[in-house]
Structures are given as C-alpha cells and as structure tokens.
Amino acid sequence: MSKKPIDHLPPLQLLAAFEAAARHLSFTQAAEERFVTQSAMSRQIRALEDELGVTLFERRHRALALTEDGQRLHAACATALNTLRVAVRAVREPHQRQVLALTTTPGFASLWLIPRLTAFTRAHPGIDVRLDAGLGNRNLASEGFDLAIRYSPVGAAQGQQLFAESMLPVCSPRLVGELGLPLREPADLARHTLLHLAMDGDSSGMPAEWEPWLGAWGLADLRPAARLSFSSYSEAIAAAVAGQGVALGRRPLVDALLASGQLVTPFDAGIASARAYRLIIDPAAKTRPAVKAFEQWLLAQCLAPALG
C-alpha cells in the first residue's frame, strides 16, 4: 500500500473535533459541543494522531495539555475553521431572510418612519423589520434590539444625531376658514382650542408642552379657549388634521403633513427645540448587513425632502 502524501489532509471531521478539544482542553466539553459522547471524541483524537503519526495531547491526571505539535496544529485549525465559518455565513446570509429589530418613540414611528418604511423594504426584500414603538428606553443588548432612534436632549453624547427639532403651531386649513376666528398672530391662540400631549403638571393653566413656545413669544400667561389632551403625540396631530384645534407641530415629524397641505402653519413663528433625534446602534449589531443597510438608508432619508 502506497504511503499518503505528506500534505494529505486528514478528514475535516477529525480536524474540527481536535480544534474543539484543543480550545477547551477537555474531551468532555468538546464532546458536548460536537454532540458526541466523550469516548467518541477520544477515538476521533486518537484517529487523528494515528493519521499524523504524532501525539497532539499530553494526557495528564484530570487534565489535558497540547504538545508542541498540537499547539502548531491548533493555531492553523482555528484560523482555517474561522475563515470557513465567515465564508459560509457570507454565502448563506444573502439567501436567508434577516430580521432588523428597531425601537423608537410612537410619534416618530407613526409620523416619520412608517410612511417611509415601504421604500426600505422594497429596496431590501430579504430584510424583515420588527418595529417597537414605546416611550421607554429599551436595553438594546438584553432585549434583542439592533438599534434605536431616541428623542434626546440636544448635545447628548450617545449615538449619532439624525436631525434637530423645531416647534411651531399647526392646524387644518379648514380651521381658520370655517370658524371665522382670527389666527394671524400668536396672541390669537387665546380664541382657539390647543391640542397637546398629556404631561405631568397639566392639571391647570397652560399645557406644559406649549410652555417653551409661548414663553419664547412672550405669551406665558395666555389661556386658550379650550384644551384637548391626548396620550400620544400622533393622536394630537391627527386631531389637528381633523380640524379640532391647534397643535404644536414638531418638525420634521409634521413636514409630510405640511407638504401635503393637510396641515398649515398659521403664522411663521418657529423656535428651536431642546431635543433632537439620535440613532443608537448596539455595538454587537454594527457589522450586520441588515443594520448597515438600514443605517445608510436612514441617513439618506434624513437629507431627503419631506414626503408630500
């Protein structure tokens, strides 16, 4: 029988078993990882040693140690198997559906993100988006989210700022025409119903949501004709579109409604908000193709004109 060439490779199954045993320095743990019995793992290692004609492990009392040959082979096996895993993942991933888990605020989700998501899913048919809309800050790593779009103070250190926010009154174009009440300057808000998000401290007086804007225009003592409060910002904006009163529009969230004419600004009186929208990505998810694709798409959308 002819001898095998010196560079003849042993079966991959034996090399993979050896790499696991060398990494754990335990036949028992390697067997558990490989879903075989401890005796089967021992036989595979012995078969590899017989194939190579060398001893790979020093079998000590309740311990294993790699020989010099074992150390050399383990370094090569670890590198080669990792290269194979990366290549296999790259081959498989484009043909498998990926799930992108995203969390953000209800207002941002309903008014800005959801109207645009169709464009993303059409451009990336292999990516399924799981969207969580809530006011609490999710722990990305422990709760299984890849990224978050958060409403944070301007200048916050975490994440990348997507855009700042400005605030100005908005209402349905029908409101002024049908009611016949003046709405030409900020003081005219006293004749109208103010729509707002229910907040702590709103039991009497001016809605807390409106205080920064009214204070900036010298109207801290203004009292509206009526108030309607809602549990979410998107509900307050929906009421404004329906002509039920004047809401404090937060741009760019209301830009699409302004562009389509469903909302108008009765007077040009915007102020800068103290908050902005920031993108936070879980470090473990940064290299995922789905996450990178969504990040690039999102940044491009932030620079695009408002939807009409």
Side-chain angles (χ1 to χ4, degrees), residues 30-63:
E32 292 175 354
E33 179 182 305
R34 301 279 299 164
F35 301 103
V36 298
T37 64
Q38 193 270 350
S39 59
M41 176 60 63
S42 296
R43 288 196 298 271
Q44 289 179 347
I45 299 303
R46 182 65 69 185
L48 180 61
E49 290 177 324
D50 291 344
E51 171 90 10
L52 297 175
V54 298
T55 299
L56 299 172
F57 290 97
E58 294 180 11
R59 292 158 174 83
R60 302 172 181 172
H61 180 64
R62 299 188 178 219

CSV table of all heavy atoms in Angstrom, one decimal, residues 30-63:
chain,number,residue,atom,x,y,z
A,30,ALA,N,-15.6,19.2,24.7
A,30,ALA,CA,-15.5,19.2,23.3
A,30,ALA,C,-16.6,18.3,22.8
A,30,ALA,O,-17.3,18.5,21.8
A,30,ALA,CB,-14.2,18.8,22.8
A,31,ALA,N,-16.8,17.1,23.4
A,31,ALA,CA,-17.8,16.2,23.0
A,31,ALA,C,-19.2,16.8,23.1
A,31,ALA,O,-20.1,16.6,22.3
A,31,ALA,CB,-17.7,14.9,23.9
A,32,GLU,N,-19.5,17.6,24.2
A,32,GLU,CA,-20.8,18.2,24.4
A,32,GLU,C,-21.0,19.2,23.2
A,32,GLU,O,-22.1,19.3,22.7
A,32,GLU,CB,-20.8,18.9,25.7
A,32,GLU,CG,-20.9,18.0,26.9
A,32,GLU,CD,-20.8,18.7,28.2
A,32,GLU,OE1,-20.6,19.9,28.2
A,32,GLU,OE2,-20.9,18.0,29.3
A,33,GLU,N,-20.0,20.0,22.9
A,33,GLU,CA,-20.1,21.0,21.8
A,33,GLU,C,-20.4,20.3,20.5
A,33,GLU,O,-21.1,20.8,19.7
A,33,GLU,CB,-18.8,21.8,21.7
A,33,GLU,CG,-18.8,22.8,20.6
A,33,GLU,CD,-17.5,23.6,20.5
A,33,GLU,OE1,-17.1,24.2,21.6
A,33,GLU,OE2,-16.9,23.7,19.5
A,34,ARG,N,-19.7,19.1,20.3
A,34,ARG,CA,-19.9,18.4,19.0
A,34,ARG,C,-21.0,17.4,19.0
A,34,ARG,O,-21.2,16.7,18.0
A,34,ARG,CB,-18.5,17.7,18.7
A,34,ARG,CG,-17.3,18.6,18.6
A,34,ARG,CD,-17.2,19.3,17.3
A,34,ARG,NE,-17.0,18.3,16.2
A,34,ARG,CZ,-17.2,18.7,14.9
A,34,ARG,NH1,-17.5,19.9,14.6
A,34,ARG,NH2,-17.0,17.8,14.0
A,35,PHE,N,-21.7,17.3,20.1
A,35,PHE,CA,-22.9,16.4,20.2
A,35,PHE,C,-22.5,14.9,19.9
A,35,PHE,O,-23.2,14.2,19.2
A,35,PHE,CB,-24.0,16.8,19.2
A,35,PHE,CG,-24.5,18.2,19.4
A,35,PHE,CD1,-24.1,19.3,18.6
A,35,PHE,CD2,-25.4,18.5,20.5
A,35,PHE,CE1,-24.6,20.5,18.8
A,35,PHE,CE2,-25.9,19.7,20.7
A,35,PHE,CZ,-25.5,20.8,19.9
A,36,VAL,N,-21.4,14.5,20.6
A,36,VAL,CA,-21.0,13.1,20.5
A,36,VAL,C,-20.6,12.8,22.0
A,36,VAL,O,-20.6,13.6,22.9
A,36,VAL,CB,-19.7,12.9,19.6
A,36,VAL,CG1,-20.0,13.3,18.2
A,36,VAL,CG2,-18.5,13.7,20.1
A,37,THR,N,-20.4,11.5,22.2
A,37,THR,CA,-20.0,11.0,23.5
A,37,THR,C,-18.5,11.3,23.8
A,37,THR,O,-17.7,11.5,22.9
A,37,THR,CB,-20.3,9.5,23.7
A,37,THR,OG1,-19.4,8.8,22.8
A,37,THR,CG2,-21.7,9.2,23.4
A,38,GLN,N,-18.2,11.3,25.1
A,38,GLN,CA,-16.8,11.5,25.4
A,38,GLN,C,-15.8,10.4,24.8
A,38,GLN,O,-14.7,10.7,24.4
A,38,GLN,CB,-16.6,11.6,26.9
A,38,GLN,CG,-15.3,12.1,27.5
A,38,GLN,CD,-14.2,11.1,27.6
A,38,GLN,OE1,-14.5,9.9,27.6
A,38,GLN,NE2,-13.0,11.5,27.9
A,39,SER,N,-16.3,9.2,24.8
A,39,SER,CA,-15.5,8.1,24.3
A,39,SER,C,-15.3,8.3,22.7
A,39,SER,O,-14.3,8.0,22.2
A,39,SER,CB,-16.1,6.8,24.6
A,39,SER,OG,-17.4,6.7,24.1
A,40,ALA,N,-16.4,8.8,22.1
A,40,ALA,CA,-16.3,9.0,20.6
A,40,ALA,C,-15.3,10.1,20.3
A,40,ALA,O,-14.5,10.0,19.4
A,40,ALA,CB,-17.7,9.3,20.1
A,41,MET,N,-15.3,11.2,21.2
A,41,MET,CA,-14.3,12.2,21.0
A,41,MET,C,-12.9,11.7,21.2
A,41,MET,O,-12.0,12.1,20.4
A,41,MET,CB,-14.6,13.4,22.0
A,41,MET,CG,-13.6,14.5,22.0
A,41,MET,SD,-13.5,15.4,20.4
A,41,MET,CE,-15.2,16.0,20.2
A,42,SER,N,-12.7,10.9,22.2
A,42,SER,CA,-11.4,10.3,22.4
A,42,SER,C,-10.9,9.5,21.2
A,42,SER,O,-9.7,9.6,20.8
A,42,SER,CB,-11.4,9.5,23.7
A,42,SER,OG,-11.6,10.2,24.8
A,43,ARG,N,-11.8,8.7,20.6
A,43,ARG,CA,-11.5,7.9,19.5
A,43,ARG,C,-11.1,8.8,18.3
A,43,ARG,O,-10.2,8.5,17.5
A,43,ARG,CB,-12.6,7.0,19.1
A,43,ARG,CG,-12.8,5.8,20.1
A,43,ARG,CD,-13.7,4.7,19.5
A,43,ARG,NE,-15.1,5.2,19.2
A,43,ARG,CZ,-16.1,5.2,20.1
A,43,ARG,NH1,-15.9,4.8,21.3
A,43,ARG,NH2,-17.3,5.7,19.7
A,44,GLN,N,-11.8,9.9,18.1
A,44,GLN,CA,-11.5,10.8,17.0
A,44,GLN,C,-10.1,11.4,17.1
A,44,GLN,O,-9.4,11.6,16.1
A,44,GLN,CB,-12.6,11.9,16.9
A,44,GLN,CG,-14.0,11.4,16.4
A,44,GLN,CD,-15.0,12.5,16.3
A,44,GLN,OE1,-14.8,13.5,16.8
A,44,GLN,NE2,-16.1,12.1,15.7
A,45,ILE,N,-9.8,11.8,18.3
A,45,ILE,CA,-8.5,12.4,18.6
A,45,ILE,C,-7.4,11.4,18.3
A,45,ILE,O,-6.4,11.7,17.7
A,45,ILE,CB,-8.4,13.0,20.0
A,45,ILE,CG1,-9.4,14.1,20.2
A,45,ILE,CG2,-7.0,13.5,20.2
A,45,ILE,CD1,-9.4,15.3,19.2
A,46,ARG,N,-7.6,10.2,18.8
A,46,ARG,CA,-6.7,9.1,18.6
A,46,ARG,C,-6.5,8.8,17.1
A,46,ARG,O,-5.4,8.6,16.6
A,46,ARG,CB,-7.1,7.8,19.4
A,46,ARG,CG,-6.1,6.7,19.3
A,46,ARG,CD,-4.8,7.0,19.9
A,46,ARG,NE,-4.9,7.1,21.4
A,46,ARG,CZ,-4.0,7.5,22.2
A,46,ARG,NH1,-2.8,7.8,21.7
A,46,ARG,NH2,-4.2,7.5,23.5
A,47,ALA,N,-7.6,8.8,16.4
A,47,ALA,CA,-7.5,8.6,14.9
A,47,ALA,C,-6.7,9.6,14.2
A,47,ALA,O,-6.0,9.3,13.3
A,47,ALA,CB,-9.0,8.5,14.4
A,48,LEU,N,-6.9,10.9,14.7
A,48,LEU,CA,-6.1,12.0,14.1
A,48,LEU,C,-4.6,11.8,14.4
A,48,LEU,O,-3.8,12.0,13.5
A,48,LEU,CB,-6.7,13.3,14.6
A,48,LEU,CG,-5.9,14.6,14.0
A,48,LEU,CD1,-6.1,14.6,12.5
A,48,LEU,CD2,-6.5,15.8,14.6
A,49,GLU,N,-4.3,11.5,15.6
A,49,GLU,CA,-2.9,11.3,16.0
A,49,GLU,C,-2.3,10.1,15.2
A,49,GLU,O,-1.2,10.2,14.7
A,49,GLU,CB,-2.8,11.0,17.5
A,49,GLU,CG,-3.1,12.2,18.3
A,49,GLU,CD,-3.1,11.9,19.8
A,49,GLU,OE1,-3.5,10.8,20.2
A,49,GLU,OE2,-2.7,12.8,20.6
A,50,ASP,N,-3.1,9.0,15.0
A,50,ASP,CA,-2.6,7.9,14.2
A,50,ASP,C,-2.4,8.4,12.7
A,50,ASP,O,-1.4,8.0,12.1
A,50,ASP,CB,-3.6,6.8,14.2
A,50,ASP,CG,-3.6,6.1,15.6
A,50,ASP,OD1,-2.7,6.3,16.4
A,50,ASP,OD2,-4.6,5.4,15.9
A,51,GLU,N,-3.3,9.2,12.2
A,51,GLU,CA,-3.2,9.7,10.8
A,51,GLU,C,-2.0,10.5,10.6
A,51,GLU,O,-1.3,10.4,9.6
A,51,GLU,CB,-4.5,10.5,10.5
A,51,GLU,CG,-4.4,11.3,9.2
A,51,GLU,CD,-5.0,10.5,8.0
A,51,GLU,OE1,-5.6,9.4,8.3
A,51,GLU,OE2,-4.8,10.9,6.9
A,52,LEU,N,-1.6,11.3,11.6
A,52,LEU,CA,-0.5,12.3,11.5
A,52,LEU,C,0.8,11.6,12.0
A,52,LEU,O,1.9,12.1,11.7
A,52,LEU,CB,-0.8,13.5,12.3
A,52,LEU,CG,-1.9,14.4,11.9
A,52,LEU,CD1,-2.2,15.5,12.8
A,52,LEU,CD2,-1.7,14.9,10.4
A,53,GLY,N,0.7,10.6,12.8
A,53,GLY,CA,1.9,10.0,13.3
A,53,GLY,C,2.5,10.8,14.4
A,53,GLY,O,3.8,10.6,14.7
A,54,VAL,N,1.8,11.6,15.2
A,54,VAL,CA,2.3,12.4,16.2
A,54,VAL,C,1.4,12.4,17.4
A,54,VAL,O,0.2,12.0,17.3
A,54,VAL,CB,2.6,13.8,15.8
A,54,VAL,CG1,3.6,13.9,14.7
A,54,VAL,CG2,1.3,14.5,15.4
A,55,THR,N,1.8,12.8,18.6
A,55,THR,CA,1.0,12.9,19.8
A,55,THR,C,0.6,14.4,19.8
A,55,THR,O,1.5,15.3,19.8
A,55,THR,CB,1.7,12.5,21.0
A,55,THR,OG1,2.1,11.1,20.9
A,55,THR,CG2,0.8,12.7,22.3
A,56,LEU,N,-0.7,14.7,20.0
A,56,LEU,CA,-1.2,16.0,20.0
A,56,LEU,C,-1.5,16.5,21.4
A,56,LEU,O,-1.4,17.8,21.6
A,56,LEU,CB,-2.5,16.2,19.1
A,56,LEU,CG,-2.3,15.8,17.6
A,56,LEU,CD1,-3.6,15.8,16.9
A,56,LEU,CD2,-1.3,16.8,17.0
A,57,PHE,N,-1.8,15.6,22.3
A,57,PHE,CA,-2.1,16.0,23.7
A,57,PHE,C,-1.3,15.2,24.6
A,57,PHE,O,-1.0,14.0,24.4
A,57,PHE,CB,-3.6,15.7,24.0
A,57,PHE,CG,-4.6,16.6,23.3
A,57,PHE,CD1,-5.2,16.1,22.1
A,57,PHE,CD2,-4.9,17.8,23.8
A,57,PHE,CE1,-6.1,16.9,21.5
A,57,PHE,CE2,-5.9,18.6,23.2
A,57,PHE,CZ,-6.5,18.2,22.0
A,58,GLU,N,-0.9,15.9,25.7
A,58,GLU,CA,-0.3,15.2,26.9
A,58,GLU,C,-1.5,14.9,27.8
A,58,GLU,O,-2.2,15.8,28.3
A,58,GLU,CB,0.7,16.1,27.6
A,58,GLU,CG,2.0,16.4,26.8
A,58,GLU,CD,2.9,17.3,27.6
A,58,GLU,OE1,2.7,17.5,28.8
A,58,GLU,OE2,3.9,17.8,27.0
A,59,ARG,N,-1.7,13.6,28.0
A,59,ARG,CA,-2.9,13.2,28.9
A,59,ARG,C,-2.4,13.1,30.3
A,59,ARG,O,-1.8,12.1,30.7
A,59,ARG,CB,-3.5,11.9,28.3
A,59,ARG,CG,-4.1,12.1,26.9
A,59,ARG,CD,-4.2,10.8,26.2
A,59,ARG,NE,-5.0,10.9,24.9
A,59,ARG,CZ,-4.5,11.3,23.8
A,59,ARG,NH1,-3.2,11.8,23.7
A,59,ARG,NH2,-5.2,11.4,22.7
A,60,ARG,N,-2.7,14.1,31.1
A,60,ARG,CA,-2.3,14.2,32.5
A,60,ARG,C,-3.5,13.8,33.3
A,60,ARG,O,-4.6,13.6,32.8
A,60,ARG,CB,-1.9,15.6,32.8
A,60,ARG,CG,-0.7,16.1,32.0
A,60,ARG,CD,-0.4,17.6,32.3
A,60,ARG,NE,0.7,18.1,31.5
A,60,ARG,CZ,1.0,19.3,31.4
A,60,ARG,NH1,0.3,20.3,32.1
A,60,ARG,NH2,2.0,19.7,30.7
A,61,HIS,N,-3.3,13.6,34.6
A,61,HIS,CA,-4.4,13.2,35.5
A,61,HIS,C,-5.4,14.4,35.6
A,61,HIS,O,-5.1,15.5,36.0
A,61,HIS,CB,-3.8,13.0,36.9
A,61,HIS,CG,-4.9,12.6,37.9
A,61,HIS,ND1,-5.6,11.4,37.8
A,61,HIS,CD2,-5.3,13.2,39.1
A,61,HIS,CE1,-6.4,11.3,38.8
A,61,HIS,NE2,-6.3,12.4,39.6
A,62,ARG,N,-6.6,14.1,35.1
A,62,ARG,CA,-7.7,15.0,35.1
A,62,ARG,C,-7.4,16.3,34.3
A,62,ARG,O,-8.0,17.4,34.6
A,62,ARG,CB,-8.1,15.4,36.5
A,62,ARG,CG,-8.6,14.2,37.3
A,62,ARG,CD,-9.2,14.6,38.6
A,62,ARG,NE,-9.7,13.5,39.3
A,62,ARG,CZ,-10.9,13.4,40.0
A,62,ARG,NH1,-11.6,14.5,40.1
A,62,ARG,NH2,-11.2,12.3,40.6
A,63,ALA,N,-6.5,16.3,33.4
A,63,ALA,CA,-6.1,17.5,32.6
A,63,ALA,C,-5.5,17.1,31.3
A,63,ALA,O,-5.0,16.0,31.1
A,63,ALA,CB,-5.2,18.3,33.4
